[in-house]
Amino acid sequence: MVRRRFRRRLSGALASAALLGAAVHSVPAVAAPDSPPVNSGSADSPAPRTDTPPPAVATIDHIESLTDRELRVFVKSPAMERTVEVRVLLPADQSHPRPTLYMLDGRSAPADSNNWIERGGALNFFADKPINVVFAVGGPAGYYTDWQRPDPVLGNNKWETFLTRELPPLIDRAFDGDGRDAVEGVSMGAEAAMMLAMRSPGTYRAVAAHSGCYAMGSDIGQAQARAVVRTYGGDPDNMFGDQEDPDWLAHDVMMHADGLRGTAIYLSSGSGLPGPFDGPGNPDSQTSVVFGGPLEAAANACTMALADRLDRMRIPATVDFRPVGTHSWPYWAGDLPKAWPTLAAALGVG
């Protein structure tokens, strides 16, 4: 009954969302934050078996330097059951501890980089910022979440565990992080960033989300997510189960928006109408208007719905509805400086 009421409430606001388819160093191992304490034994509590292996912890396997500040960091992840690469940009001044910003990619996340680096101008923008910036690498159409089962095409996805439990303590230990974290994402990564912040309150001081949809548990939101997964040959049932599985609702930001209370929030989207970047200078120009326009219009409807939900719940958010702009990287590159004041204030940096 709750699910059906939720579907009806969202169907009008999110109708257009159905269009959304698409150098080596060693460091010590760091345990995941929620590792249980070891029972030392007592008269009433026998000592643990000595042949029980210790719980697996994530470790940094090695680091490759691309420049004096840009690094490829390879993490042995027990959750992902493989070595996972992330890119790290260090600040110019590394003399004291600093916050960390985690950057999530869109649906087409490449296996060897991150589109925030390749197309979003992030390296230049953050070059003078006093923070560590960590870019997720890979995970196309994976939503940076924990899937129920490994997928024959998209592999074993346990991104939520990796990003919220395994990776942060390693980054803080290896790169002098001070425990103040934020997360920022675009398109698929926007929904993922909001899901991570909602599902792990207190993990991130701030979240910025650009051109995403946030109603994973609604009929239309689920259809959109299923379409995204299928574009890369994945089986969406492996993510959150069949259409009636409660796991879909458990990841719905609209339904569980109260989990964002206390987190600084920045949201942005364009109207979908062609703007200054929808011309020959845009690498996406051939598709930005025909496909990117409707996609961004759908994301705009999703963002309006979430902004309204937060407003009614009296959860503060900074929202930028651009009057023009399609679903393409030149606009998201322009979102970086607009989102930064919200992130910087929450992270306590100038």
Side-chain angles (χ1 to χ4, degrees):
M1 182 64 68
V2 172
R3 183 182 179 92
R4 296 298 172 186
R5 286 200 300 267
F6 188 64
R7 287 173 175 173
R8 288 195 295 269
R9 186 170 70 249
L10 289 174
S11 60
L14 301 181
S16 57
L19 294 168
L20 282 176
V24 177
H25 309 280
S26 298
V27 297
V30 179
D34 295 331
S35 297
V38 176
N39 183 356
S40 60
S42 66
D44 299 320
S45 176
R49 290 168 54 96
T50 57
D51 60 347
T52 300
V57 297
T59 59
I60 293 181
D61 182 72
H62 67 282
I63 299 171
E64 298 177 2
S65 297
L66 297 176
T67 69
D68 60 336
R69 292 172 53 193
E70 186 185 357
L71 311 170
R72 301 177 68 194
V73 180
F74 295 85
V75 177
K76 288 185 176 179
S77 166
M80 301 278 268
E81 298 181 337
R82 64 180 185 272
T83 298
V84 181
E85 179 188 350
V86 295
R87 293 284 185 93
V88 176
L89 178 68
L90 301 175
D93 180 4
Q94 300 169 33
S95 63
H96 52 78
R98 58 263 181 192
T100 302
L101 172 63
Y102 292 84
M103 301 289 289
L104 306 183
D105 209 337
R107 175 186 62 127
S108 61
D112 58 352
S113 188
N114 182 299
N115 281 313
W116 280 113
I117 295 173
E118 303 300 329
R119 305 174 68 184
L123 294 183
N124 287 335
F125 178 76
F126 290 112
D128 63 347
K129 306 300 185 288
I131 61 172
N132 296 325
V133 186
V134 177
F135 301 90
V137 173
Y143 279 93
Y144 297 108
T145 191
D146 282 3
W147 287 39
Q148 291 183 356
R149 295 175 294 277
D151 186 85
V153 176
L154 298 180
N156 182 38
N157 290 295
K158 294 292 183 181
W159 285 101
E160 181 175 343
T161 298
F162 177 72
L163 290 168
T164 63
R165 295 181 58 192
E166 293 183 336
L167 186 60
L170 296 180
I171 294 296
D172 287 352
R173 177 74 63 86
F175 305 112
D176 212 8
D178 63 10
R180 294 178 293 171
D181 296 334
V183 61
E184 184 167 8
V186 61
S187 192
M188 177 195 81
E191 184 164 11
M194 298 299 287
M195 284 195 298
L196 295 177
M198 171 271 290
R199 287 171 56 81
S200 298
T203 297
Y204 305 106
R205 294 195 174 199
V207 55
H210 313 292
S211 303
C213 273
Y214 310 101
M216 185 72 80
S218 70
D219 285 343
I220 293 173
Q222 185 181 149
Q224 171 261 123
R226 287 178 170 276
V228 168
V229 172
R230 289 192 182 102
T231 60
Y232 275 75
D235 181 351
D237 281 0
N238 290 327
M239 184 164 70
F240 296 144
D242 64 27
Q243 290 183 330
E244 298 303 319
D245 195 301
D247 216 9
W248 290 93
L249 284 176
H251 290 80
D252 193 294
V253 176
M254 290 281 289
M255 174 165 279
H256 302 288
D258 197 61
L260 296 167
R261 198 177 298 277
T263 303
I265 301 169
Y266 182 92
L267 298 171
S268 72
S269 60
S271 67
L273 295 175
F277 298 116
D278 296 301
N282 184 349
D284 302 325
S285 60
Q286 291 183 341
T287 58
S288 62
V289 176
V290 175
F291 297 105
L295 286 173
E296 192 65 11
N300 198 44
C302 294
T303 304
M304 286 181 177
L306 179 58
D308 178 68
R309 172 79 165 151
L310 296 173
D311 183 63
R312 287 186 285 109
M313 296 179 70
R314 298 186 179 181
I315 298 175
T318 300
V319 186
D320 178 23
F321 292 115
R322 290 183 266 103
V324 297
T326 57
H327 206 71
S328 58
W329 275 100
Y331 294 101
W332 299 324
D335 284 333
L336 284 179
K338 296 178 182 179
W340 175 243
T342 299
L343 300 175
L347 294 174
V349 299

